[in-house]
Amino acid sequence: MAKSKKFSNIPIEEIVASLDRLDAEALELVVKAIQVILQERQLASCQPELAEMNKQTEYLDRVGIGANGSYGYIESKFINGYGPYRYLRLRKSGVHHSFYLGKAIINDKQE
């Protein structure tokens, strides 16, 4: 996935300073979100065919990431014919959390 120009210039120091202001529960949720994003990138780089839209979500569901085994997954979906839009889905302490990651950018190599 290509970097969004909107967020590509956010200084890492600003992100870390923002994290320091979160309570422990929110920090745990951020850690889980980072783990899911890293896992998705690792899968996409190891198996490029999984980077195609719908196939990646189907694969993640099939291997048990998400409700069956782990803490979350990234879903790409179309809404009213527009998209695809990417969402990070997490479950923590029985509560479902959903974070909009932005519109997927599709090019010849990856989503």
Side-chain angles (χ1 to χ4, degrees):
M1 184 168 118
K3 285 186 178 179
S4 168
K5 291 182 182 182
K6 180 178 178 182
F7 297 108
S8 63
N9 295 326
I10 297 176
I12 195 74
E13 294 83 7
E14 185 179 326
I15 294 169
V16 172
S18 296
L19 291 173
D20 187 47
R21 293 189 290 272
L22 297 176
D23 63 20
E25 187 174 337
L27 275 174
E28 289 175 14
L29 195 58
V30 170
V31 168
K32 289 179 184 284
I34 290 169
Q35 290 171 337
V36 171
I37 291 168
L38 287 172
Q39 187 173 34
E40 182 227 8
R41 289 184 182 178
Q42 197 172 35
L43 281 171
S45 67
C46 292
Q47 301 178 21
E49 67 276 6
L50 294 177
E52 297 175 33
M53 296 310 318
N54 304 322
K55 287 186 181 179
Q56 185 173 14
T57 301
E58 291 168 9
Y59 175 80
L60 292 174
D61 289 340
R62 193 167 58 246
V63 297
I65 298 171
N68 295 329
S70 190
Y71 35 73
Y73 61 97
I74 293 178
E75 176 184 12
S76 296
K77 62 188 265 184
F78 287 84
I79 299 174
N80 296 326
Y82 295 96
Y85 300 103
R86 294 170 33 104
Y87 292 86
L88 173 64
R89 311 288 192 190
L90 295 173
R91 184 167 294 281
K92 182 178 178 310
S93 302
V95 178
H96 179 263
H97 300 273
S98 181
F99 300 95
Y100 174 65
L101 298 177
K103 187 170 182 178
I105 299 172
I106 301 174
N107 58 32
D108 295 335
K109 295 180 184 175
Q110 281 189 334
E111 169 186 316

